Amino acid sequence: MVTGAGGAGRTTVAAATACAAAAQGHRTLLLSAEPARRLAALLGTDPSEASGAQPAPQPPREPGPGRPEPVAGAAGLWLLRIDSGEEFRRQAVALQTRGKTALDLLGAVPLDEDELTELPGAGTFALLRALHTAHQGGTGQSAGGGWDIVVADMPAAPEGLNLLALPEQLRRYLRRLVPAERQAARALRPLLAQLAGAPMPAQWLYEAAGRWSDELAGVQRIVESPTTVVRLVTEPGPLAAEDLRTAGAGLRLHGLALESVVANRLLPTGSSDSWLTALAGQQQTALAALREKCEAESVPLCELPHLGRDPRGPEDLRALADAARTAVAADGTAGEGLRPPAGAEGGPGTDITYGWLEDRLAGDGTLVWHLPLPGAEREELELVRRGDELTVGVGPYRRVLPLPSALRRCRVSGAGLKGGVLGVRFTPDPDLWPGGQRGSSEPARQGG
């Protein structure tokens, strides 16, 4: 996943990453929503002629009607351009077809495909669907087809990072608005409708919600997979280090792995031209701040030179990728990040979705939920307890976390940020804790 600052060259870095992977013998797919002419110029190909150059690996099931096919580029590289308008029209028509019975009852007149215009936000869902479709082909020889590596040219941050968190958020909305357990009462629906004096939700609504939830779960598994990493692209400037700090905190909040930071379009130093020397000096000052930040977080910093022209063709892209690979190798291996101490509860096999839990009941009578947020600052944090969930915000990023079972019987008693880790303190509620007078009650909304 390649994202970063707007205008920093994300598409170029994504294309260079894909070209380098293909050159190493991997079957690589590049996903991008950039205009076809721009992508053709960048990759040095003509999409209208390249489609017959080499057959694309086929997924297990055939693409749907009208679904775009990958276009072959350099050896081992295919390009799939995401046309959000076309995808929106295709999905809108399919939705009308599935809901035809309900629309007929309402006396609605269906919209024809040629009169549908793309709505804002449609590009987000088109990209998520493209990720899901690309992954269905599997990876490696064991799948009998598909791709070894998929490189996604994402929107700029924070939109790009919030997009990756969207499947988890939408699944939560569906569970709240269309609870699956209500399906069990479908045999009693006519009776319940009479008692309530209002029609009960139709079966098609539950089926649609279940289908959407399954698709979102598939995308969420891709995003949360340990083989999925994010590469942040920036052009060294006055705000580059600050943008990296905020994006890094957002990445960690959503449980995403930061593979590297790419400082793009670095100007040469030592020029006799005073104007160029001044610009290069500004970049070097910003680059020093970036380097310090990356070293503190144990994240490789890749420095890509300005080619003096717009990159064009596989040779330019591979040259940039080689420079990035050399920079990563020279920088060393990225650190493991903030880890829970020995004996702390967290990770697989627990109901702790993020961070780790520390038991201090024998000491100060609290349980502390540690949430690693490297780069976060106190004034930009948001923390709200609502029922059995905790909403955590860092600048433009938010995540709703289900409370571990032990904390659902507790009250928030305080919070503090230290060393890039947010510690939220919980005190057992006497009315809810085992041994208390009452066995069940709903905790009130609390702020931390």
Side-chain angles (χ1 to χ4, degrees), residues 31-122:
L31 298 176
S32 180
E34 285 291 310
R37 287 182 178 273
R38 159 132 170 76
L39 290 173
L42 180 61
L43 294 170
T45 60
D46 182 354
S48 62
E49 297 177 358
S51 57
Q54 49 183 324
Q58 293 297 316
R61 68 183 191 183
E62 291 299 320
R67 186 173 299 279
E69 294 282 358
V71 172
L77 174 64
W78 287 265
L79 167 67
L80 181 59
R81 181 180 174 272
I82 302 167
D83 188 336
S84 56
E86 180 64 27
E87 178 70 12
F88 171 78
R89 289 187 289 273
R90 182 165 50 248
Q91 295 301 322
V93 169
L95 182 62
Q96 289 184 133
T97 302
R98 288 194 294 265
K100 184 178 186 302
T101 302
L103 293 174
D104 289 344
L105 290 174
L106 295 173
V109 179
L111 296 166
D112 293 329
E113 184 174 356
D114 58 5
E115 65 178 316
L116 290 168
T117 57
E118 179 184 354
L119 296 178

Side-chain angles (χ1 to χ4, degrees), residues 261-264 266 287 291 301-305 323-324 327:
V261 176
V262 178
N264 196 23
L266 289 175
L287 186 63
R291 190 177 292 115
L301 175 64
C302 309
E303 302 176 14
L304 299 188

Side-chain angles (χ1 to χ4, degrees), residues 184-209:
R186 63 179 179 270
L188 302 176
R189 196 167 295 137
L191 176 60
L192 294 175
Q194 291 181 0
L195 294 176
M200 300 297 289
Q203 182 63 24
W204 70 267
L205 177 60
Y206 292 107
E207 293 175 352

Side-chain angles (χ1 to χ4, degrees), residues 290-314:
L290 272 178
R291 190 177 292 115
E292 180 180 355
K293 185 67 179 174
C294 288
E295 289 176 354
E297 303 294 344
S298 299
V299 176
L301 175 64
C302 309
E303 302 176 14
L304 299 188
H306 199 302
L307 298 180
R309 64 184 185 282
D310 290 336
R312 185 182 181 92

